[in-house]
Amino acid sequence: MMNPIQRRKSIQVNVDGVPVGGEAPIVVQSMTNTDTADIDETADQIEHLHLAGSELVRITVNNDEAAKAVPHIKEKLIARGVEVPIIGDFHYNGHKLLPGYPDMAAALAKFRINPGNTGTRARDKNFCTIIEQAIIHDKPVRIGVNWGSLDQQLLAERMDENNQRSTPKSSKEVMLDTMVESARRSSEIAEDVGLASDRIVISCKMSGVQDLINVYRRIADELPYPLHLGLTEAGMGMKGTVASSVALAVLLQEGIGDTIRVSLTPMPGDDRAEEVRICQQILQSLGIRSFVPQVTSCPGCGRTKSTYFQELADEIQQYITRQMPVWRETYPGVEEMDVAVMGCVVNGPGESRHANIGISLPGTFEEPAAPVYMDGEHYKTLRGDAIGEEFKRILMDYIERNYGQQKESGQQEEPVESSSEPVE
Ligand code: SF4
């Protein structure tokens, strides 16, 4: 199917070997929530996020201890063979930490600066100090405007001007205008100081979906730099996932966005990498990039005989997710595969034919048989108590045959033997 998305043209920025913008694939990124001063914990989480698919990982650099830890975190990751660019997130004191800890600055792949958090009276001077450090260390920066920490001085000036108008804009409109202005103004200052245009990424994050869409459409038109997309403070669980997905989907469909992050609030103990998987799923659902085989399953209905098909769909989805870090290396291309697990034969065979491999479990009053389809053809019908296990075996065999070594050598294996009946 032709992908109708026309990417917005932007300058390309190289983040330590990961291209962002231009023709480069849209990059998935995430951020740690460990204390950066804790070298082991932070290195572990960076590795975990990277293994889940995060192509850039951001860490906060908020004090002297964190700054001292950064080169050690980087060394640990290199020793483990983890090669992922690490981005330093600076607020309030980046103008002191970056010149004070040159090894930290050198170890980072990019600096994130929030122009609303570089000071009050000395905000431009401090901002320029960070830009000078980026130039000295040859690092790109993300100018990350955030409505929760918008440059208050600039906002107050624009609010005052608005109040003098005969027909003032709403305060929301002024705030959105100021977000765009802050991004534009900061990028102009950065270039004036000497930072090359291909060392600048921009974000203008907001927590409201319509506001985010509005402001990104404007910066996409007005600025030439790659855009980091994300709904800030998206919230928890389903709310955060849905809000982020709808906001990012609208913009990505319009070709806006060169790197994305989903800012979910995890419950204590939740897997931080969930935000990485959501980013991947957003891109894969839009047909932009493929990361993991997709499992199609029906919602079930009164025809569904038991919860068995839901359990099987869930089991297969989880199995695939767990295997992907290994499969990515051993079965290249497997991320394009579609698997269907359906509750009965009403839509089951049809959906299975459209998938690479699919199964329809028997519904109420249906014959206790589960037809399996492979590449659009009926492959065999499974019966008995071990349908799930057999289907997983057939699935693994299919993966091995189509994405493994055999594919390269052109060999084809015979279908696996099973206790089930042969193709009818
Ligand atoms: S495929 Fe069958 S079980 Fe699933 S929703 Fe449709 S009719 Fe119901």
Side-chain angles (χ1 to χ4, degrees):
M1 191 181 72
M2 199 181 77
N3 191 326
I5 297 173
Q6 296 283 323
R7 278 280 288 286
R8 160 186 170 267
K9 292 208 180 331
S10 78
I11 297 167
Q12 187 170 94
V13 173
N14 186 327
V15 183
D16 197 12
V18 175
V20 177
E23 304 285 317
I26 295 171
V27 172
V28 170
Q29 62 171 288
S30 57
M31 184 174 184
T32 58
N33 61 354
T34 55
D35 177 1
T36 303
D38 187 328
I39 296 167
D40 288 332
E41 222 187 340
T42 303
D44 286 351
Q45 195 176 71
I46 292 171
E47 182 176 10
H48 180 63
L49 291 168
H50 181 56
L51 280 177
S54 187
E55 293 156 312
L56 302 172
V57 179
R58 184 159 43 115
I59 60 175
T60 190
V61 186
N62 54 337
N63 53 33
D64 295 290
E65 288 67 35
K68 284 179 205 160
V70 170
H72 301 294
I73 293 168
K74 176 89 177 166
E75 279 164 22
K76 253 188 197 306
L77 291 167
I78 290 171
R80 295 179 194 176
V82 179
E83 290 181 24
V84 59
I86 303 169
I87 300 160
D89 199 53
F90 295 94
H91 299 271
Y92 313 116
N93 54 2
H95 61 286
K96 290 184 182 160
L97 293 176
L98 283 164
Y101 294 95
D103 290 350
M104 172 270 289
L108 294 170
K110 187 172 73 159
F111 308 154
R112 183 269 169 127
I113 324 171
N114 179 338
N117 284 346
T118 57
T120 46
R121 267 175 300 170
R123 65 170 179 172
D124 286 353
K125 183 168 167 285
N126 295 343
F127 180 84
C128 290
T129 300
I130 298 173
I131 296 297
E132 282 160 7
Q133 288 296 311
I135 295 167
I136 290 167
H137 291 279
D138 192 20
K139 307 289 178 182
V141 299
R142 169 161 66 98
I143 296 170
V145 179
N146 189 304
W147 86 313
S149 48
L150 180 57
D151 183 335
Q152 291 303 301
Q153 195 178 327
L154 191 63
L155 182 61
E157 286 170 17
R158 296 300 170 255
M159 286 291 182
D160 286 345
E161 287 166 12
N162 187 54
N163 289 337
Q164 308 302 319
R165 290 164 173 255
S166 52
T167 49
K169 295 180 178 182
S170 69
S171 52
K172 172 63 84 62
E173 282 177 284
V174 177
M175 200 265 293
L176 294 177
D177 289 350
T178 312
M179 294 277 296
V180 175
E181 184 183 348
S182 178
R184 185 177 53 241
R185 182 179 179 279
S186 302
S187 62
E188 284 168 3
I189 294 173
E191 289 211 42
D192 285 349
V193 171
L195 191 66
S197 57
D198 65 356
R199 304 306 264 163
I200 298 174
V201 178
I202 297 284
S203 66
C204 263
K205 292 192 180 181
M206 312 198 68
S207 59
V209 171
Q210 295 294 354
D211 293 337
L212 188 90
I213 293 168
N214 181 329
V215 88
Y216 267 89
R217 281 177 177 156
R218 290 179 55 184
I219 56 171
D221 274 350
E222 292 187 26
L223 299 174
Y225 314 105
L227 299 180
H228 166 124
L229 215 60
L231 188 74
T232 192
E233 287 99 38
M236 306 184 81
M238 186 180 69
K239 185 263 170 189
T241 304
V242 172
S244 294
S245 303
V246 296
L248 267 54
V250 169
L251 290 165
L252 291 167
Q253 183 68 18
E254 293 177 11
I256 298 171
D258 302 288
T259 174
I260 65 170
R261 185 199 171 202
V262 165
S263 304
L264 271 194
T265 309
M267 287 294 288
D270 275 3
D271 184 357
R272 185 69 167 177
E274 192 63 9
E275 64 174 51
V276 176
R277 292 188 278 271
I278 294 168
C279 285
Q280 293 177 328
Q281 195 57 54
I282 290 170
L283 294 175
Q284 191 149 357
S285 299
L286 287 166
I288 293 174
R289 288 184 69 184
S290 294
F291 298 93
V292 65
Q294 297 290 283
V295 178
T296 303
S297 56
C298 73
C301 68
R303 298 181 64 94
T304 317
K305 205 170 191 171
S306 70
T307 56
Y308 186 64
F309 103 91
Q310 289 122 301
E311 286 157 11
L312 182 62
D314 182 51
E315 202 181 317
I316 288 176
Q317 180 75 70
Q318 296 211 27
Y319 176 65
I320 286 171
T321 304
R322 280 197 307 275
Q323 297 304 315
M324 265 322 281
V326 178
W327 286 2
R328 213 171 278 136
E329 306 298 327
T330 49
Y331 302 119
V334 72
E335 64 276 5
E336 309 271 355
M337 184 179 71
D338 287 320
V339 182
V341 180
M342 299 290 288
C344 82
V345 294
V346 171
N347 291 329
E351 197 66 63
S352 298
R353 273 193 206 99
H354 292 305
N356 293 90
I357 178 164
I359 185 169
S360 314
L361 291 158
T364 315
F365 305 128
E366 287 175 8
E367 189 194 347
V372 174
Y373 285 77
M374 205 179 270
D375 295 327
E377 301 290 334
H378 183 206
Y379 175 72
K380 66 167 51 175
T381 296
L382 306 181
R383 299 175 199 276
D385 297 331
I387 285 175
E389 287 311 307
E390 285 193 48
F391 180 65
K392 276 190 278 180
R393 207 153 56 82
I394 294 170
L395 175 67
M396 273 319 300
D397 183 62
Y398 181 89
I399 290 170
E400 185 64 49
R401 212 165 51 236
N402 286 277
Y403 305 101
Q405 299 300 318
Q406 291 90 337
K407 188 189 169 201
E408 281 169 27
S409 61
Q411 293 170 11
Q412 289 287 311
E413 284 183 358
E414 291 299 313
V416 289
E417 290 300 318
S418 96
S419 58
S420 314
E421 294 185 1
V423 176
E424 292 158 348

